[in-house]
Amino acid sequence: MISNRQAAALKAFGGIESIKNDLSILETALGDLPLWLPAAALKKQCAEALRMIDGISQRLERKLVVTIVGPCGAGKSTLLNALAGTDDLSATGHQRPTTDHIIVFSADDQDARQLVEALGRQSVEVASSPAAAALEHVLLIDTPDTDSTAYQAHAPLVRETIARSDMLICVFDSENPKRRDHVDFLSPFIGRFNGQSLVAVINKCDRQDEAELKNRILPDFAEYIRTAWPTPVDRLLCLSARRHLQNSRWDETAAPKHDFDQFEELRQLIFEDINRAGYVVDRRLENAASLRDFVFQEMRRQISVHRPHLETAAQQIREAEKKSFLAAVAAMKNDDSQHFFGVDLMVYQQLTQRWVGPMGWMIAIWARLMIFGSGVAALFRFGRPVRQVMGMVSAWRNLKQSKSSVDEAAEGQRVDAGLRTYQLSTMGNWPDIAELLVAGGFDAAVRQVSDVLPAENTFSEKLAGIWTDVLQSEIERLSGRLSGGGLQILFNLPVVGVLGYIGWITVRRFFLASYLTGGFFLHALWVIAIVLLLSFFIFQLCVRLTAGAERVTARAFEKMKHRADQLATVTATPVQVQLETIAGLETFVSTRTD
């Protein structure tokens, strides 16, 4: 049967994996931002936070690690001795530093195994006393000074211990609590702790005047660390650790000035409030969440600092792209290569699919003749004669593929003109945008316009695709108008009427045994042909007036201009992609921390 601590740990694993997943998503996204300079440091923070959370998950079932940290002479060792109920657990005295290694207060040497493996046996000492038995779920650790003469040797030990801690007790000397070096040393670590996991202690408070302590020193120090540290301290205690030793050995010149002391509140916090199996797991889960939130807050802070420039740059990029796109459309429209024949053919291809009856046959034949005509015209252009003849035959045999073969040259020339104009317009607008990006944290390499111009093939394909879409859309719209039921009846009716009349005469004379001569049928054929051609001629006039190539292309270009308002990006350049990624990350971290 599993213990309560193990059951709570199992429940916490899912929460930790969710926290790690959030950081992994952020880390991966930051790897896709090579041009945004803050991304490199933020990515390293993600990696470090993930490493620390892995350490938290590995010790979910182990005791809660409470670490005492402080500068030289603040009374850390005295505080540990007072909590342990013995005077010589951790060395105290006037010689500095008094503690040069990690002291773990525990009843079982195995509790310190993880620290011994990480820091080395020579750096960790396990100490015990009868009071250690009461700490069933807590390890209490004393650390070397953060500002002693041996600081360079001790700093890695302190950092590694803090990284493996679940709760910090930050000790300050009441005579000079605002020690900048100590506050600055702890500042990078404070963001990983919150709530009850962060306690500030002003020791030796009995040496100060009680009124001055309560009315000036304490409020002043609380405001000081509130502005100096990224995370607020919920609990700030004033105490005299020496008062709770078995033999206080007061100096005659430094006797206590008052009895104000919050030592028992700290002792209750350690030995009762947090000394519970459920609290241990919850605290570690909260610390893991604090690590994630710390990185996310750093991400939000970086974006907040650079947001004005990034937002302005993104807006100017959208406006510049719209301007360049419209310039490209204008260049395509004004291009001298006015090949309207292919547009006419596309119109008749659409009509062929919609019309029925005699007029439908005429439209289909006319479309075939137009394809054949385009192939014959190709024979008179420069190039390989054999290939041109094959192209004409292919166009005749493959009606569906005829559009691309007829329109390819004209479309290619138009798109090339559009590409050149787009590039020139982009280069003209880019210097101002690049300066905004650099001010927004981007690498100075973005000043090179070659890094932001789209690849020619990609842009040409995109521009050609947009042109094809709007042209096809306009042709389909006009073809639909020219293929209404009323128009089909109107243009098919004369031919159908003549055919019906001739058929009625033929059948009637047949049954009366008065057979018609060949001249009648010849004249009837001519009449049918004349009526059909006349109807088709009138229909062509309607097509020319309604769906002529110039009208179709003019309306298609107007539609293409409107696409500029709806177009997010013609092509996704690295800078644009990274700007969108940064904006997406701000939303992501906000939803995870709010």
Side-chain angles (χ1 to χ4, degrees):
M1 184 174 180
I2 63 174
S3 65
N4 291 337
R5 184 190 298 174
Q6 290 173 324
L10 288 174
K11 293 179 181 179
F13 274 120
I16 285 181
E17 285 303 312
S18 177
I19 292 169
K20 289 175 61 178
N21 183 61
D22 289 344
L23 284 168
S24 296
I25 291 173
L26 179 60
E27 183 182 27
T28 301
L30 289 169
D32 295 330
L33 299 174
L35 292 174
W36 195 51
L37 298 179
L42 290 167
K43 185 180 178 183
K44 287 184 178 180
Q45 287 186 359
C46 284
E48 179 64 16
L50 284 168
R51 184 188 71 82
M52 295 176 68
I53 291 173
D54 282 336
I56 290 175
S57 63
Q58 291 172 6
R59 61 178 190 268
L60 268 178
E61 298 180 56
R62 299 181 183 179
K63 292 184 176 182
L64 195 75
V65 178
V66 178
T67 300
I68 302 173
V69 292
C72 178
K76 301 185 305 299
S77 299
T78 302
L79 177 59
L80 177 62
N81 289 339
L83 291 169
T86 181
D87 291 0
D88 57 358
L89 185 75
S90 181
T92 62
H94 298 289
Q95 184 180 357
R96 300 289 182 245
T98 54
T99 303
D100 58 359
H101 56 280
I102 304 299
I103 297 178
V104 180
F105 178 55
S106 173
D108 189 350
D109 290 357
Q110 291 300 311
D111 291 334
R113 181 167 53 86
Q114 191 178 27
L115 282 172
V116 170
E117 293 173 354
L119 305 178
R121 186 169 298 278
Q122 71 282 0
S123 300
V124 180
E125 175 189 351
V126 179
S128 185
S129 75
L135 290 177
E136 183 181 357
H137 304 288
V138 174
L139 286 181
L140 199 54
I141 296 178
D142 186 18
T143 58
D145 300 332
T146 59
D147 63 342
S148 68
T149 55
Y151 166 75
Q152 295 297 332
H154 294 166
L157 284 176
V158 178
R159 290 194 184 98
E160 187 65 28
T161 305
I162 293 175
R164 297 172 180 275
S165 300
D166 303 296
M167 178 175 173
L168 284 187
I169 299 177
C170 305
V171 183
F172 300 86
D173 190 337
S174 64
E175 293 182 352
N176 183 20
K178 295 193 293 185
R179 289 281 298 274
R180 189 78 228 182
D181 51 357
H182 179 48
V183 171
D184 289 345
F185 176 84
L186 291 176
S187 183
F189 309 103
I190 294 301
R192 305 170 187 174
F193 302 88
N194 66 357
Q196 285 188 334
S197 66
L198 182 61
V199 178
V201 169
I202 297 181
N203 193 24
K204 306 178 185 178
C205 66
D206 50 10
R207 296 186 183 182
Q208 309 299 323
D209 179 77
E210 184 175 1
E212 183 180 10
L213 176 69
K214 293 180 178 180
N215 298 326
R216 188 182 66 82
I217 297 176
L218 189 58
D220 187 46
F221 178 69
E223 176 63 20
Y224 176 73
I225 60 174
R226 187 188 66 80
T227 57
W229 284 349
T231 298
V233 176
D234 291 342
R235 191 178 300 232
L236 176 58
L237 303 177
C238 291
L239 54 86
S240 172
R242 181 177 293 276
R243 182 192 298 271
H244 301 277
L245 296 177
Q246 294 178 1
N247 182 6
S248 299
R249 297 193 297 272
W250 294 110
D251 191 320
E252 294 181 359
T253 61
K257 296 182 179 181
H258 55 81
D259 294 329
F260 177 63
D261 186 1
Q262 295 175 301
F263 177 82
E264 287 303 324
E265 186 175 338
L266 178 64
R267 182 178 178 83
Q268 179 179 341
L269 173 68
I270 296 173
F271 282 82
E272 297 181 22
D273 295 351
I274 69 173
N275 191 28
R276 295 178 286 107
Y279 180 88
V280 171
V281 174
D282 291 343
R283 183 74 268 156
R284 284 181 173 146
L285 185 58
E286 289 179 15
N287 284 347
S290 295
L291 286 168
R292 177 200 58 191
D293 294 346
F294 176 78
V295 176
F296 279 14
Q297 287 166 7
E298 282 295 297
M299 179 72 194
R300 294 174 70 177
R301 186 180 66 82
Q302 288 291 343
I303 294 177
S304 178
V305 169
H306 297 106
R307 183 187 294 111
H309 295 103
L310 294 178
E311 288 182 347
T312 304
Q315 178 63 28
Q316 290 194 15
I317 286 175
R318 288 191 293 269
E319 293 174 355
E321 184 174 64
K322 179 180 177 180
K323 180 180 177 181
S324 299
F325 178 74
L326 291 174
V329 172
M332 292 173 66
K333 183 177 181 180
N334 296 330
D335 185 59
D336 292 332
S337 55
Q338 303 274 344
H339 296 274
F340 295 123
F341 184 78
V343 175
D344 288 333
L345 175 56
M346 292 169 65
V347 170
Y348 277 97
Q349 283 180 308
Q350 285 290 327
L351 293 172
T352 300
Q353 299 173 17
R354 297 172 183 267
W355 275 76
V356 296
M359 190 59 62
W361 304 333
M362 287 297 296
I363 294 172
I365 293 171
W366 185 250
R368 291 282 183 174
L369 289 174
M370 291 178 74
I371 298 171
F372 182 76
S374 68
V376 172
L379 291 173
F380 297 98
R381 300 191 189 117
F382 295 101
R384 302 178 187 177
V386 174
R387 186 174 179 180
Q388 290 169 339
V389 172
M390 294 299 295
M392 179 186 70
V393 175
S394 175
W396 174 259
R397 295 180 59 186
N398 299 285
L399 179 63
K400 292 183 179 180
Q401 284 75 36
S402 61
K403 177 176 72 68
S404 59
S405 63
V406 171
D407 207 38
E408 181 179 358
E411 183 181 272
Q413 293 177 24
R414 284 197 184 99
V415 171
D416 288 343
L419 173 62
R420 290 192 297 272
T421 304
Y422 183 90
Q423 290 175 331
L424 289 172
S425 180
T426 300
M427 287 188 289
N429 293 315
W430 188 251
D432 292 340
I433 296 173
E435 294 307 315
L436 284 170
L437 289 170
V438 171
F442 273 73
D443 191 279
V446 296
R447 293 192 176 103
Q448 301 297 322
V449 73
S450 57
D451 293 335
V452 298
L453 287 175
E456 292 189 3
N457 291 340
T458 304
F459 179 84
S460 298
E461 291 175 3
K462 186 73 174 181
L463 197 60
I466 295 173
W467 167 245
T468 301
D469 288 344
V470 296
L471 185 63
Q472 187 68 32
S473 173
E474 182 61 20
I475 289 174
E476 289 179 357
R477 187 185 70 83
L478 294 174
S479 298
R481 291 181 58 186
L482 289 169
S483 304
L487 283 177
Q488 296 210 31
I489 293 173
L490 178 64
F491 282 99
N492 279 312
L493 186 59
V495 180
V496 173
V498 171
L499 284 172
Y501 178 70
I502 293 173
W504 179 79
I505 292 176
T506 302
V507 172
R508 179 173 174 274
R509 296 291 294 272
F510 176 79
F511 284 108
L512 293 175
S514 176
Y515 300 111
L516 299 172
T517 63
F520 172 81
F521 289 105
L522 180 61
H523 285 88
L525 182 62
W526 278 108
V527 170
I528 293 170
I530 291 171
V531 172
L532 185 59
L533 289 173
L534 184 61
S535 297
F536 184 66
F537 176 73
I538 297 172
F539 177 75
Q540 282 188 309
L541 289 177
C542 294
V543 172
R544 178 57 60 89
L545 293 173
T546 306
E550 294 185 11
R551 179 182 292 272
V552 171
T553 53
R555 291 184 64 87
F557 278 120
E558 288 302 315
K559 282 188 174 181
M560 200 170 181
K561 289 179 181 179
H562 294 314
R563 286 286 186 95
D565 295 325
Q566 306 169 1
L567 199 65
T569 53
V570 173
T571 52
T573 62
V575 171
Q576 289 167 309
V577 170
Q578 291 182 47
L579 277 173
E580 292 174 0
T581 301
I582 293 170
L585 284 179
E586 182 175 25
T587 301
F588 172 75
V589 299
S590 296
T591 56
R592 291 299 194 278
T593 55
D594 289 344

